[in-house]
Amino acid sequence: MFKKWGLSAAAMLLTAAVILPGCGNKEAAPKEALQSTGAKALAMTSYAMKSKVTINDLTITGDASDEQASTTGQVVSMLKGAEITVEGVHQADPMQTELTLGLNLKGSMSISFSLPMIMTGEILYIQVPSIPFLPIPETLVGKYVKIDPKELAEQQGTEFNANSLKPEDAQKLSNELLNALLGEYDQEKYFKNVDPKDAGLPEDVKAKQVVRFQVAPDNVKEAVTIFVNQALPKLMEILEKDEYKDMLQLEEGQLGELKEQLQSEESKAKLDESLADLDKYLKLDQFELNTAIDKNDYPVYQDFKTKLTVNDPEQGMNVGLQLTATNQYSKIGEKQTFTLGIPKDEEVVTMEELQQQFGALSSLGTTVN
């Protein structure tokens, strides 16, 4: 199982790592331009943003019982065409962020709902949504659940780290990870400039340079090998830094154990064997990330496309996935307008009140039954 899915997971991790927000100069060499935009992204003290991920196609085929096939079919039907959106604004001083997460599932059981979130200082507010098929009490829908991470940490007997809530620190981490990752790939083979007129940019995106990072079907084995053997150890070294361990609240020695496992002779032998046979288990038709850089060297727009098939001969299962994603920044450095605002006291419920209301609903359901 490790042979087939482990490296496919590595390929997907490569997807996630490359598309991290914060991914430039007059038309510089494409790799250099892409890496230097991270520093500019760190300098963004305020911005509006919107992102969208779409599962354009999903197929799961293989040997399965009628019951399993039926369940799988329902899941595929619901996820095919699914859209996840995030829209929001952020300012660093005074710190305030508001985001609205949207989920639109299609198919025979279509579901759509949005989840507004507000972060200010050390407090997080999450609005209780109305979700079809979930018995959420009407008295809670539309209310904001107030989450105080410091109080939660005290209740759990742990120490709260305020840095874990700072978008700037998360951006700094993603920038380091991105530079370490891209630094391992050859510019001539994996990077190129694309004429902005041919990049399919939205009308409101004005770019002086568009950089494409691409893994072609004929070099996917090399790309995954570079990720596993060269990039992954460096990414783990970054995560081991004290500033990031605290931010991510990683337990002492947690990464060290994983690192030892990956570097053991047995693991290396399995990885080498899996890499040698990778084309039997992973077929990558498309893996492309375009980053548009504006006149001020900000990474104002990204679009990502991938199409792949993962095979597991032992279980007789094939999974096909076609996915697209976009990420756009605007109003960089401007004064932001917060449409949600800070919830009033009457609009807020605590975690304890939330648990009590759900507990009462559960008791009522038990009594009725």
Side-chain angles (χ1 to χ4, degrees):
M1 192 68 174
F2 175 85
K3 180 184 293 184
K4 291 78 176 178
W5 294 101
L7 291 175
S8 299
M12 294 305 294
L13 181 56
L14 179 61
T15 300
V18 171
I19 205 167
L20 284 171
C23 242
N25 307 331
K26 60 184 179 180
E27 191 162 286
K31 181 177 176 179
E32 175 191 342
L34 192 59
Q35 289 179 304
S36 63
T37 57
K40 291 296 294 186
L42 281 174
M44 296 193 304
T45 56
S46 68
Y47 53 82
M49 60 83 67
K50 56 182 178 181
S51 300
K52 182 177 182 179
V53 177
T54 304
I55 300 176
N56 303 99
D57 196 17
L58 176 66
T59 59
I60 302 177
T61 60
D63 301 331
S65 65
D66 292 341
E67 183 178 352
Q68 289 174 325
S70 176
T71 301
T72 300
Q74 291 175 4
V75 172
V76 169
S77 174
M78 187 166 57
L79 292 180
K80 188 179 294 186
E83 297 175 344
I84 301 172
T85 59
V86 180
E87 292 193 38
V89 293
H90 166 74
Q91 69 179 25
D93 186 21
M95 195 295 201
Q96 187 172 342
T97 303
E98 61 181 41
L99 300 171
T100 298
L101 171 68
L103 179 63
N104 183 15
L105 301 180
K106 302 180 180 180
S108 57
M109 294 181 62
S110 60
I111 300 174
S112 295
F113 66 89
S114 60
L115 187 67
M117 293 175 281
I118 302 164
M119 188 187 305
T120 172
E122 297 178 357
I123 301 296
L124 173 65
Y125 299 91
I126 301 177
Q127 190 178 60
V128 179
S130 175
I131 303 177
F133 313 118
L134 285 185
I136 298 177
E138 286 297 321
T139 53
L140 289 177
V141 173
K143 297 279 189 177
Y144 284 91
V145 180
K146 181 180 179 181
I147 301 175
D148 186 334
K150 186 175 181 179
E151 288 184 4
L152 288 178
E154 290 174 353
Q155 293 171 6
Q156 297 169 1
T158 58
E159 187 175 342
F160 169 67
N161 177 21
N163 290 333
S164 62
L165 292 179
K166 290 183 178 179
E168 294 82 4
D169 289 340
Q171 180 66 61
K172 181 181 176 183
L173 172 59
S174 71
N175 184 35
E176 278 203 51
L177 293 172
L178 181 72
N179 284 336
L181 175 66
L182 297 183
E184 297 302 317
Y185 290 90
D186 179 72
Q187 176 166 275
E188 298 302 318
K189 187 175 292 187
Y190 294 97
F191 301 85
K192 71 175 183 178
N193 286 319
V194 178
D195 191 320
K197 298 193 300 292
D198 301 326
L201 303 176
E203 287 187 7
D204 59 339
V205 174
K206 309 301 180 184
K208 70 172 184 180
Q209 183 175 2
V210 176
V211 177
R212 176 171 296 169
F213 174 84
Q214 183 175 29
V215 178
D218 59 354
N219 61 15
V220 61
K221 183 182 292 188
E222 178 189 76
V224 175
T225 301
I226 290 171
F227 175 75
V228 172
N229 291 337
Q230 296 170 219
L232 187 57
K234 293 187 177 182
L235 299 182
M236 295 188 67
E237 286 178 9
I238 292 171
L239 294 174
E240 283 183 314
K241 292 182 179 181
D242 289 340
E243 58 186 306
Y244 297 138
K245 281 197 298 185
D246 291 342
M247 185 180 77
L248 299 172
Q249 299 186 1
L250 296 172
E251 295 181 8
E252 189 66 33
Q254 189 173 344
L255 285 174
E257 293 176 7
L258 177 58
K259 196 173 179 180
E260 286 181 12
Q261 292 175 5
L262 290 173
Q263 294 178 342
S264 70
E265 293 301 321
E266 182 181 357
S267 292
K268 286 182 178 180
K270 288 183 178 179
L271 279 171
D272 290 342
E273 180 184 352
S274 299
L275 288 167
D277 295 336
L278 183 63
D279 51 1
K280 297 179 181 179
Y281 312 113
L282 174 65
K283 182 176 182 287
L284 186 68
D285 295 309
Q286 185 179 34
F287 186 101
E288 178 183 300
L289 170 70
N290 295 312
T291 300
I293 303 166
D294 74 0
K295 63 181 182 180
N296 297 314
D297 299 331
Y298 289 116
V300 290
Y301 181 78
Q302 290 179 306
D303 70 74
F304 173 75
K305 304 171 186 175
T306 189
K307 182 179 180 182
L308 56 85
T309 304
V310 178
N311 306 309
D312 187 348
E314 288 183 2
Q315 296 193 5
M317 181 178 292
N318 299 321
V319 178
L321 173 66
Q322 187 171 352
L323 179 147
T324 57
T326 59
N327 184 59
Q328 182 175 348
Y329 291 110
S330 61
K331 300 180 180 178
I332 298 171
E334 299 179 12
K335 181 176 177 60
Q336 303 302 317
T337 300
F338 294 91
T339 57
L340 298 175
I342 307 302
K344 299 175 182 178
D345 290 344
E346 60 268 24
E347 299 176 309
V348 174
V349 295
T350 64
M351 288 292 292
E352 291 77 12
E353 292 170 331
L354 182 73
Q355 292 168 353
Q356 288 172 3
Q357 293 210 38
F358 270 106
L361 181 67
S362 176
S363 300
L364 178 61
T366 303
T367 302
V368 173
N369 290 333

